[in-house]
């Protein structure tokens, strides 16, 4: 029956490797063994854990040096250390610990069966420590990820700077630090004046040194200060955003871990980029809202739909912009004796074209307000206006007509505009343009007249319709239609523009029917 010494029994119920070795040492002392070395063994390399003799500069050795493969010899080291015997604790092909006795003892001072039991216990303790270490590292990673994610969620720069600096200082166990980015300075434990006037590197003010350095480095011996006790400084440089973080008196567990610092600095860099992108998004949103408001204002100058009906005429027109604001202009002035219609198409799309459209709207409203019914005079005035404004080659095609209600005579002028179609009985008549678009050159504008007859259908449109179909198809549709102007144009829009969210061009047209 195996009899256990009290200390060995306590070793077998130890909860940590440290306690295990402590009870093993007490067992040796109880057996009057005063000279020994205890080795930790990993990958066949023995490292001194504890010793009761002077080992000098000996800190580790190979298992061969301890006669692991030949236990019949005494080991003598060059520094005078003499080992008489070594007991090895090993389990499942793992050599865990060595106990070297440096004096003569009885060979059975530790029972071989007891060695086996102790080895099994030590194996379990090592495994538990590994599991604990893995768990601790895992918890550290979880904490690291949580804190990193908190930084990544921040969207204002000041919070990112202060949280990131605090994060760095905690990770590297630093006593003070500062962060510089795009002229912004944030610090913990010191001020900007301190690094300018009280801390030096090789007699150069630290602030000047930091401003010119563009790499990560660890500084130790060159630091001097008449105000602070500084042992070291870890300067972390993130090149992409020119971010600099300086940490003072960091823990010796970390320096100079540049790879790890790059990981942490990238987190700050990503957070800053997120904040930049967020600001850009906010700016774009504000600009988008401003543009939407602008578009709403611009669109008030051009009605999307125009409708007029009386005993003699039935009129309906639309102007549906492809974008928020359009470059087509459609207006009608209906008076007791005359009907004046203007349909124009500004070169280009979007807001720039819409601004010119607004100007045209104002000019047309003022012009007709003076009871001037001459299309050629309006064309002359508009062309002069556009050329005087020097709009970088912007021009306007337009068709302007004035219909005398008593005679049904239509006076008109067309400047570079699409041909106008008039359906008369079974025929399609055309009115082509004879002038260049307004805003290119000034010509000798002369309006023409066209006598309308009962039953005529006048169809005026911009080139946006030609984006969807051709002239022949427009004439065929006009010839076959028996619907009212409103039904005709509404049906035409729905048939031609199938994708209303991605309209290719402004859709503008008007139909005038001289009723019987």
């Amino acid at each position: 029956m195996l009899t256990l010494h009290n200390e060995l029994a306590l070793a077998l119920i130890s909860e940590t490797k440290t306690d295990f070795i402590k009870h093993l040492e007490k067992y040796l002392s109880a057996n009057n063994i005063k000279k020994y070395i205890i080795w930790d063994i990993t990958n066949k390399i023995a490292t001194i854990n504890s010793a009761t003799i002077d080992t000098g500069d000996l800190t580790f050795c190979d298992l061969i040096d301890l006669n692991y493969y030949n236990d019949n010899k005494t080991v003598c080291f060059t520094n005078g250390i003499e080992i008489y015997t070594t007991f090895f604790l090993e389990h499942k092909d793992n050599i865990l610990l060595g106990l070297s006795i440096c004096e003569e003892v009885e060979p059975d001072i530790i029972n071989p069966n007891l060695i086996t039991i102790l080895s099994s216990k030590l194996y379990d303790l090592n495994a538990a420590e590994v599991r604990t270490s893995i768990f601790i590292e895992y918890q550290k990673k979880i904490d690291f990820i949580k804190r990193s994610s908190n930084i990544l969620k921040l969207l204002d720069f000041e919070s990112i700077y202060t949280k990131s600096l605090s994060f760095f200082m905690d990770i590297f166990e630093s006593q003070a630090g500062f962060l510089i980015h795009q002229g912004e300075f944030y610090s913990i434990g010191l001020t900007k004046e301190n690094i300018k006037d009280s801390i030096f590197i090789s007699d150069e003010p630290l602030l000047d040194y930091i401003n010119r350095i563009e790499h990560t480095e660890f500084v130790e011996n060159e630091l001097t200060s008449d105000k602070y006790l500084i042992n070291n400084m870890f300067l972390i440089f993130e090149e992409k955003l020119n971010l600099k973080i300086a940490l003072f008196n960091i823990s010796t567990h970390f320096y100079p871990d540049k790879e790890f610092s790059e990981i942490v600095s990238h987190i700050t860099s990503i957070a800053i980029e997120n904040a930049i992108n967020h600001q850009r998004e906010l700016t774009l949103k504000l600009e988008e809202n401003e543009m939407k408001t602008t578009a709403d204002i611009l669109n008030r100058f051009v009605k999307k739909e125009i409708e007029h009906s009386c005993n003699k005429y039935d009129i309906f027109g639309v102007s549906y912009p492809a974008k928020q604001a359009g470059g087509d202009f459609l207006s009608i002035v209906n008076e007791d004796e005359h009907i004046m219609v203007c349909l124009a198409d500004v070169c280009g799309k979007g807001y720039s074209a819409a601004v010119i459209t607004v100007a045209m709207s104002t000019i047309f409203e003022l012009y007709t307000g003076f009871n001037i019914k001459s299309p050629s005079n309006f064309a002359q005035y508009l062309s002069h206006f556009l050329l005087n404004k020097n709009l970088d080659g912007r021009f306007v095609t337009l068709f302007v007509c004035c219909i005398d209600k008593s005679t049904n005579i239509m006076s008109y002028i067309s400047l570079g505009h699409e041909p106008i179609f008039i359906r008369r009985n079974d025929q399609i008549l055309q009115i082509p343009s004879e002038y260049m678009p307004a805003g290119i050159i000034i010509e000798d504008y002369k309006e023409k007249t066209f006598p309308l007859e009962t039953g005529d259908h006048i169809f005026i449109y911009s080139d946006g319709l030609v984006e969807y179909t051709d002239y022949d198809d427009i004439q065929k549709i006009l010839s076959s239609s028996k619907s009212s102007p409103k039904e005709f144009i509404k049906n035409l829009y729905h048939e031609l523009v199938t994708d209303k969210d991605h309209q290719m061009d402004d859709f503008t047209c008007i139909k005038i029917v001289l009723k019987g």
Side-chain angles (χ1 to χ4, degrees), residues 171-408:
I171 290 293
F172 289 94
E173 299 178 11
S174 168
Q175 294 179 353
F178 63 83
L179 179 151
I180 298 176
H181 179 246
Q182 293 185 343
E184 297 292 334
F185 180 89
Y186 293 86
S187 64
I188 297 176
L190 40 72
T191 65
K192 192 172 185 178
E193 288 70 25
N194 295 150
I195 66 169
K196 182 179 179 182
D197 303 327
S198 302
I199 305 174
F200 303 87
I201 294 183
S202 302
D203 297 328
E204 180 182 5
L206 179 58
L207 185 59
D208 295 342
Y209 181 83
I210 294 291
N211 286 334
R212 67 179 179 82
I213 290 297
E214 294 187 347
H215 58 266
T216 296
E217 68 174 11
F218 180 74
V219 181
E220 195 165 18
N221 298 323
E222 299 91 342
L223 279 164
T224 57
S225 175
D226 56 2
K227 190 172 182 179
Y228 300 101
L229 177 61
I230 302 176
N231 300 320
N232 59 61
M233 180 190 73
F234 193 17
L235 173 62
I236 301 164
F237 174 68
E238 205 288 316
E239 182 178 6
K240 186 176 181 181
L241 295 178
N242 194 25
L243 173 70
K244 296 178 181 179
I245 300 173
L247 305 173
F248 296 94
N249 295 346
I250 69 171
S251 168
T252 55
H253 295 108
F254 291 100
Y255 70 87
D257 193 343
K258 295 182 180 180
E259 290 184 359
F260 183 65
S261 71
E262 287 179 0
I263 294 173
V264 185
S265 63
H266 283 331
I267 293 169
T268 304
S269 175
I270 292 170
I272 292 173
E273 286 185 320
N274 287 345
I276 292 172
N277 291 332
H278 178 68
Q279 280 199 346
R280 286 175 181 164
E281 278 189 27
L282 287 178
T283 302
L284 288 174
K285 286 287 185 185
L286 290 172
E287 290 177 354
E288 186 179 321
N289 290 336
E290 183 65 27
M291 295 298 274
K292 188 176 184 302
T293 302
T294 303
D296 291 340
I297 294 171
L298 293 175
N299 288 331
R300 290 175 189 175
F301 286 82
V302 180
K303 292 181 178 179
K304 285 191 173 183
E305 295 185 358
I306 293 175
E307 188 171 11
H308 172 70
S309 184
C310 62
N311 294 334
K312 213 169 187 182
Y313 291 93
D314 193 3
I315 303 170
F316 185 79
V318 299
S319 183
Y320 299 144
K323 297 185 177 181
Q324 285 185 318
D328 283 2
F329 170 70
L330 174 64
S331 185
I332 180 171
V333 176
N334 179 35
E335 297 178 344
D336 293 338
E337 297 178 357
H338 298 87
I339 297 173
M340 194 161 185
V341 178
C342 178
L343 194 153
D345 183 2
V346 179
C347 170
K349 299 182 181 69
Y351 292 99
S352 57
V355 170
I356 299 175
T357 301
V358 169
M360 283 189 56
S361 171
T362 304
I363 293 169
F364 187 74
E365 187 174 332
L366 290 172
Y367 188 82
T368 55
F370 287 109
N371 201 29
I372 302 173
K373 301 298 183 280
S374 171
S376 59
N377 284 346
F378 176 75
Q380 187 85 13
Y381 183 84
L382 178 65
S383 204
H384 273 289
F385 173 81
L386 294 174
L387 283 170
N388 289 336
K389 295 303 178 184
N390 190 22
L391 300 174
D392 294 328
R394 290 276 186 174
F395 59 85
V396 178
T397 71
L398 76 152
F399 181 87
V400 187
C401 68
C402 182
I403 301 173
D404 188 320
K405 289 182 178 180
S406 62
T407 64
N408 294 331

Side-chain angles (χ1 to χ4, degrees), residues 83-131:
I83 296 175
Y84 288 85
T85 186
T86 299
F87 299 95
F88 292 98
L89 274 61
E90 48 190 316
H91 185 71
K92 294 184 178 180
D93 297 326
N94 291 289
I95 308 169
L96 308 170
L97 188 125
L99 172 57
S100 295
I101 308 299
C102 302
E103 57 183 275
E104 292 188 10
V105 294
E106 296 294 328
D108 59 350
I109 186 68
I110 301 180
N111 188 296
N113 293 327
L114 191 54
I115 291 289
T116 302
I117 297 172
L118 290 171
S119 298
S120 177
K121 175 61 179 179
L122 183 57
Y123 179 86
D124 291 340
L125 290 174
N126 281 348
E129 285 191 2
V130 169
R131 288 194 298 271

Side-chain angles (χ1 to χ4, degrees), residues 447-460:
E447 61 195 56
K448 289 189 173 184
T449 59
F450 187 95
L452 297 174
E453 297 180 1
T454 300
D456 282 352
H457 292 235
I458 304 104
F459 186 61
I460 311 166

Side-chain angles (χ1 to χ4, degrees), residues 304-305 316-323 328 459 462 464-465 468-469 474 477 483 485-509:
K304 285 191 173 183
E305 295 185 358
F316 185 79
V318 299
S319 183
Y320 299 144
K323 297 185 177 181
D328 283 2
F459 186 61
S462 70
L465 269 71
Y468 298 96
T469 186
I474 294 173
I477 295 170
S483 57
K486 184 174 183 178
E487 290 174 339
F488 173 80
I489 288 177
K490 288 282 189 179
N491 291 337
L492 186 65
Y493 178 67
H494 288 296
E495 287 176 13
L496 296 182
V497 186
T498 55
D499 187 354
K500 307 296 189 293
D501 294 328
H502 300 89
Q503 200 170 303
M504 290 188 289
D505 200 351
D506 299 338
F507 186 95
T508 304
C509 57

